[in-house]
mmCIF file with all atom_site columns, all heavy atoms in Angstrom:
data_model
loop_
_atom_site.group_PDB
_atom_site.id
_atom_site.type_symbol
_atom_site.label_atom_id
_atom_site.label_alt_id
_atom_site.label_comp_id
_atom_site.label_asym_id
_atom_site.label_entity_id
_atom_site.label_seq_id
_atom_site.pdbx_PDB_ins_code
_atom_site.Cartn_x
_atom_site.Cartn_y
_atom_site.Cartn_z
_atom_site.occupancy
_atom_site.B_iso_or_equiv
_atom_site.pdbx_formal_charge
_atom_site.auth_seq_id
_atom_site.auth_comp_id
_atom_site.auth_asym_id
_atom_site.auth_atom_id
_atom_site.pdbx_PDB_model_num
ATOM 1  N N   . VAL A 1 31 ? 128.148 110.738 94.098 1.00 95.00 ? 31 VAL A N   1
ATOM 2  C CA  . VAL A 1 31 ? 129.588 110.908 93.933 1.00 95.00 ? 31 VAL A CA  1
ATOM 3  C C   . VAL A 1 31 ? 130.061 110.436 92.561 1.00 95.00 ? 31 VAL A C   1
ATOM 4  O O   . VAL A 1 31 ? 130.884 111.099 91.920 1.00 95.00 ? 31 VAL A O   1
ATOM 5  C CB  . VAL A 1 31 ? 130.344 110.169 95.059 1.00 95.00 ? 31 VAL A CB  1
ATOM 6  C CG1 . VAL A 1 31 ? 131.841 110.249 94.854 1.00 95.00 ? 31 VAL A CG1 1
ATOM 7  C CG2 . VAL A 1 31 ? 129.955 110.739 96.415 1.00 95.00 ? 31 VAL A CG2 1
ATOM 8  N N   . TYR A 1 32 ? 129.539 109.302 92.101 1.00 94.00 ? 32 TYR A N   1
ATOM 9  C CA  . TYR A 1 32 ? 130.058 108.710 90.876 1.00 94.00 ? 32 TYR A CA  1
ATOM 10 C C   . TYR A 1 32 ? 129.139 108.865 89.670 1.00 94.00 ? 32 TYR A C   1
ATOM 11 O O   . TYR A 1 32 ? 129.453 108.393 88.586 1.00 94.00 ? 32 TYR A O   1
ATOM 12 C CB  . TYR A 1 32 ? 130.354 107.222 91.105 1.00 94.00 ? 32 TYR A CB  1
ATOM 13 C CG  . TYR A 1 32 ? 131.374 107.016 92.194 1.00 94.00 ? 32 TYR A CG  1
ATOM 14 C CD1 . TYR A 1 32 ? 131.007 106.467 93.412 1.00 94.00 ? 32 TYR A CD1 1
ATOM 15 C CD2 . TYR A 1 32 ? 132.694 107.382 92.006 1.00 94.00 ? 32 TYR A CD2 1
ATOM 16 C CE1 . TYR A 1 32 ? 131.944 106.286 94.424 1.00 94.00 ? 32 TYR A CE1 1
ATOM 17 C CE2 . TYR A 1 32 ? 133.636 107.207 93.007 1.00 94.00 ? 32 TYR A CE2 1
ATOM 18 C CZ  . TYR A 1 32 ? 133.246 106.661 94.204 1.00 94.00 ? 32 TYR A CZ  1
ATOM 19 O OH  . TYR A 1 32 ? 134.178 106.486 95.207 1.00 94.00 ? 32 TYR A OH  1
ATOM 20 N N   . GLY A 1 33 ? 127.999 109.513 89.861 1.00 92.00 ? 33 GLY A N   1
ATOM 21 C CA  . GLY A 1 33 ? 127.098 109.760 88.738 1.00 92.00 ? 33 GLY A CA  1
ATOM 22 C C   . GLY A 1 33 ? 126.400 108.521 88.202 1.00 92.00 ? 33 GLY A C   1
ATOM 23 O O   . GLY A 1 33 ? 125.951 108.512 87.056 1.00 92.00 ? 33 GLY A O   1
ATOM 24 N N   . GLU A 1 34 ? 126.308 107.471 88.996 1.00 90.00 ? 34 GLU A N   1
ATOM 25 C CA  . GLU A 1 34 ? 125.612 106.268 88.556 1.00 90.00 ? 34 GLU A CA  1
ATOM 26 C C   . GLU A 1 34 ? 124.121 106.543 88.480 1.00 90.00 ? 34 GLU A C   1
ATOM 27 O O   . GLU A 1 34 ? 123.581 107.354 89.223 1.00 90.00 ? 34 GLU A O   1
ATOM 28 C CB  . GLU A 1 34 ? 125.888 105.110 89.512 1.00 90.00 ? 34 GLU A CB  1
ATOM 29 C CG  . GLU A 1 34 ? 127.329 104.661 89.500 1.00 90.00 ? 34 GLU A CG  1
ATOM 30 C CD  . GLU A 1 34 ? 127.557 103.460 90.395 1.00 90.00 ? 34 GLU A CD  1
ATOM 31 O OE1 . GLU A 1 34 ? 126.586 102.925 90.947 1.00 90.00 ? 34 GLU A OE1 1
ATOM 32 O OE2 . GLU A 1 34 ? 128.719 103.071 90.542 1.00 90.00 ? 34 GLU A OE2 1
ATOM 33 N N   . ARG A 1 35 ? 123.457 105.865 87.582 1.00 89.00 ? 35 ARG A N   1
ATOM 34 C CA  . ARG A 1 35 ? 122.023 106.054 87.423 1.00 89.00 ? 35 ARG A CA  1
ATOM 35 C C   . ARG A 1 35 ? 121.279 104.932 88.143 1.00 89.00 ? 35 ARG A C   1
ATOM 36 O O   . ARG A 1 35 ? 121.632 103.768 88.025 1.00 89.00 ? 35 ARG A O   1
ATOM 37 C CB  . ARG A 1 35 ? 121.657 106.038 85.947 1.00 89.00 ? 35 ARG A CB  1
ATOM 38 C CG  . ARG A 1 35 ? 122.399 107.155 85.189 1.00 89.00 ? 35 ARG A CG  1
ATOM 39 C CD  . ARG A 1 35 ? 122.024 107.179 83.769 1.00 89.00 ? 35 ARG A CD  1
ATOM 40 N NE  . ARG A 1 35 ? 120.701 107.829 83.722 1.00 89.00 ? 35 ARG A NE  1
ATOM 41 C CZ  . ARG A 1 35 ? 119.955 107.876 82.636 1.00 89.00 ? 35 ARG A CZ  1
ATOM 42 N NH1 . ARG A 1 35 ? 120.378 107.329 81.542 1.00 89.00 ? 35 ARG A NH1 1
ATOM 43 N NH2 . ARG A 1 35 ? 118.796 108.471 82.657 1.00 89.00 ? 35 ARG A NH2 1
ATOM 44 N N   . LEU A 1 36 ? 120.254 105.314 88.888 1.00 82.00 ? 36 LEU A N   1
ATOM 45 C CA  . LEU A 1 36 ? 119.422 104.334 89.579 1.00 82.00 ? 36 LEU A CA  1
ATOM 46 C C   . LEU A 1 36 ? 118.245 103.982 88.689 1.00 82.00 ? 36 LEU A C   1
ATOM 47 O O   . LEU A 1 36 ? 117.530 104.863 88.208 1.00 82.00 ? 36 LEU A O   1
ATOM 48 C CB  . LEU A 1 36 ? 118.930 104.902 90.912 1.00 82.00 ? 36 LEU A CB  1
ATOM 49 C CG  . LEU A 1 36 ? 120.008 105.222 91.939 1.00 82.00 ? 36 LEU A CG  1
ATOM 50 C CD1 . LEU A 1 36 ? 119.381 105.850 93.168 1.00 82.00 ? 36 LEU A CD1 1
ATOM 51 C CD2 . LEU A 1 36 ? 120.764 103.978 92.315 1.00 82.00 ? 36 LEU A CD2 1
ATOM 52 N N   . GLY A 1 37 ? 118.044 102.699 88.483 1.00 88.00 ? 37 GLY A N   1
ATOM 53 C CA  . GLY A 1 37 ? 116.936 102.236 87.671 1.00 88.00 ? 37 GLY A CA  1
ATOM 54 C C   . GLY A 1 37 ? 115.694 101.997 88.511 1.00 88.00 ? 37 GLY A C   1
ATOM 55 O O   . GLY A 1 37 ? 115.674 102.203 89.728 1.00 88.00 ? 37 GLY A O   1
ATOM 56 N N   . ALA A 1 38 ? 114.644 101.540 87.853 1.00 92.00 ? 38 ALA A N   1
ATOM 57 C CA  . ALA A 1 38 ? 113.371 101.290 88.535 1.00 92.00 ? 38 ALA A CA  1
ATOM 58 C C   . ALA A 1 38 ? 113.533 100.217 89.618 1.00 92.00 ? 38 ALA A C   1
ATOM 59 O O   . ALA A 1 38 ? 112.984 100.351 90.713 1.00 92.00 ? 38 ALA A O   1
ATOM 60 C CB  . ALA A 1 38 ? 112.309 100.879 87.528 1.00 92.00 ? 38 ALA A CB  1
ATOM 61 N N   . ALA A 1 39 ? 114.282 99.171  89.320 1.00 90.00 ? 39 ALA A N   1
ATOM 62 C CA  . ALA A 1 39 ? 114.481 98.095  90.301 1.00 90.00 ? 39 ALA A CA  1
ATOM 63 C C   . ALA A 1 39 ? 115.221 98.621  91.535 1.00 90.00 ? 39 ALA A C   1
ATOM 64 O O   . ALA A 1 39 ? 114.915 98.220  92.661 1.00 90.00 ? 39 ALA A O   1
ATOM 65 C CB  . ALA A 1 39 ? 115.259 96.946  89.675 1.00 90.00 ? 39 ALA A CB  1
ATOM 66 N N   . ASP A 1 40 ? 116.169 99.527  91.326 1.00 84.00 ? 40 ASP A N   1
ATOM 67 C CA  . ASP A 1 40 ? 116.897 100.108 92.458 1.00 84.00 ? 40 ASP A CA  1
ATOM 68 C C   . ASP A 1 40 ? 115.966 100.926 93.340 1.00 84.00 ? 40 ASP A C   1
ATOM 69 O O   . ASP A 1 40 ? 116.019 100.847 94.571 1.00 84.00 ? 40 ASP A O   1
ATOM 70 C CB  . ASP A 1 40 ? 118.033 101.000 91.970 1.00 84.00 ? 40 ASP A CB  1
ATOM 71 C CG  . ASP A 1 40 ? 119.042 100.246 91.122 1.00 84.00 ? 40 ASP A CG  1
ATOM 72 O OD1 . ASP A 1 40 ? 119.368 99.108  91.484 1.00 84.00 ? 40 ASP A OD1 1
ATOM 73 O OD2 . ASP A 1 40 ? 119.480 100.798 90.105 1.00 84.00 ? 40 ASP A OD2 1
ATOM 74 N N   . LEU A 1 41 ? 115.128 101.725 92.729 1.00 85.00 ? 41 LEU A N   1
ATOM 75 C CA  . LEU A 1 41 ? 114.202 102.562 93.493 1.00 85.00 ? 41 LEU A CA  1
ATOM 76 C C   . LEU A 1 41 ? 113.159 101.718 94.225 1.00 85.00 ? 41 LEU A C   1
ATOM 77 O O   . LEU A 1 41 ? 112.779 102.034 95.346 1.00 85.00 ? 41 LEU A O   1
ATOM 78 C CB  . LEU A 1 41 ? 113.538 103.579 92.573 1.00 85.00 ? 41 LEU A CB  1
ATOM 79 C CG  . LEU A 1 41 ? 114.511 104.579 91.934 1.00 85.00 ? 41 LEU A CG  1
ATOM 80 C CD1 . LEU A 1 41 ? 113.788 105.483 90.961 1.00 85.00 ? 41 LEU A CD1 1
ATOM 81 C CD2 . LEU A 1 41 ? 115.230 105.381 92.987 1.00 85.00 ? 41 LEU A CD2 1
#
Side-chain angles (χ1 to χ4, degrees):
V31 176
Y32 300 110
E34 294 183 5
R35 301 182 77 189
L36 297 177
D40 300 319
L41 297 176

